[in-house]
Every structure is written in structure tokens, then in C-alpha cells.
Amino acid sequence: MANSYDVVVIGGGVVGIATARLLAQNGLTCAVLEKDSVGSHASGFAYGGLHPLAGAGIPGPVTPLARRGFELHRALGQELPAATGVDTEYRRKSTVSLSFTEKEAAVARDHLEWMLGEGTEAEWLDAGEVRGVE
């Protein structure tokens, strides 16, 4: 007799596994199909940098979705080690975004002002300060 599942998730990367976990927490039976080992492709090698106030379409209509996704990711980063005993290596770290032309710098300064207005921690660094960080 074949197994029966409420949901079959295709792909054992971070999105597939997180989806299966959430569905299971809500009482559904799930099967995850992955041709290789779990997390063995992009999910296992990507830097995974996230920032809720940076990226395509931000600022804009996707900003609330980006913020919520970031909150969920942060919560999952705390829940998983507690539930599994596995260190997911979730870390909050600073990043540096570089501008190479005056036009890019002007856009970056405008974005920085918007980010500060949204309550994020950010600052402008000149070239010497960036070299010091590096």
C-alpha cells in the first residue's frame, strides 16, 4: 500500500524544509522530495544575508512583506536550535554597501535617510572608514 500525505514538498532546501515544518506544525502530514541531501545546494552554500529595508522594490509596496519575512526568519533562527539542538549559525551581522560614483552615492544617501526614518541602524562611512572596516 502506498503512503498517503496531505502535502508533498518538492525540494529540501531552506524554503522546502521550512514549508514542511510549518505545515506539520499545523497538523498536516508532509513528504519532502529531494534528489540529493537536504540543504546541499544553494541553501547549504549561500551567505544568506537578509535586510528588511534593502533590495528590489524597497522602499515600496513589498516593504511590509520584507519586514515580516525578516521577523519570521529571526524567530526561526531562535526556535530551531531550541527545538533541535542544532546550531543553525544564525547571526546578526553588519554589512557594507558600496557606491562607486557620485550618482550611486546620492542614491545611497537618500536610501540611508529613508532607512534611518524607518528605525534601522545605519550610518554613512567615507572611503577611509570603509577601509578601516575591511
Side-chain angles (χ1 to χ4, degrees):
M1 183 171 155
N3 291 330
S4 177
Y5 300 97
D6 295 314
V7 178
V8 175
V9 176
I10 309 298
V14 67
V15 173
I17 297 301
T19 300
R21 180 177 184 266
L22 183 61
L23 291 168
Q25 286 175 330
N26 284 281
L28 297 170
T29 58
C30 301
V32 176
L33 302 181
E34 170 57 55
K35 68 179 179 174
D36 295 315
S37 60
V38 171
S40 63
H41 293 281
S43 293
F45 296 99
Y47 163 63
L50 297 173
H51 193 296
L53 298 179
I58 300 172
V62 298
T63 302
L65 178 63
R67 282 184 180 277
R68 182 67 178 131
F70 188 75
E71 291 167 10
L72 290 170
H73 188 265
R74 185 179 0 207
L76 189 61
Q78 295 171 352
E79 291 170 20
L80 286 178
T84 66
V86 174
D87 180 5
T88 62
E89 299 184 30
Y90 174 84
R91 305 288 184 269
R92 183 175 174 196
K93 296 193 171 227
S94 299
T95 62
V96 175
S97 297
L98 301 176
S99 299
F100 296 99
T101 66
E102 288 301 321
K103 184 178 179 182
E104 290 174 352
V107 170
R109 283 185 190 276
D110 287 345
H111 193 74
L112 172 65
E113 290 303 315
W114 176 80
M115 288 172 62
L116 292 171
E118 293 291 308
T120 194
E121 296 175 28
E123 64 181 308
W124 185 265
L125 302 177
D126 64 27
E129 291 167 319
V130 170
R131 286 186 198 95
V133 169
E134 180 57 28

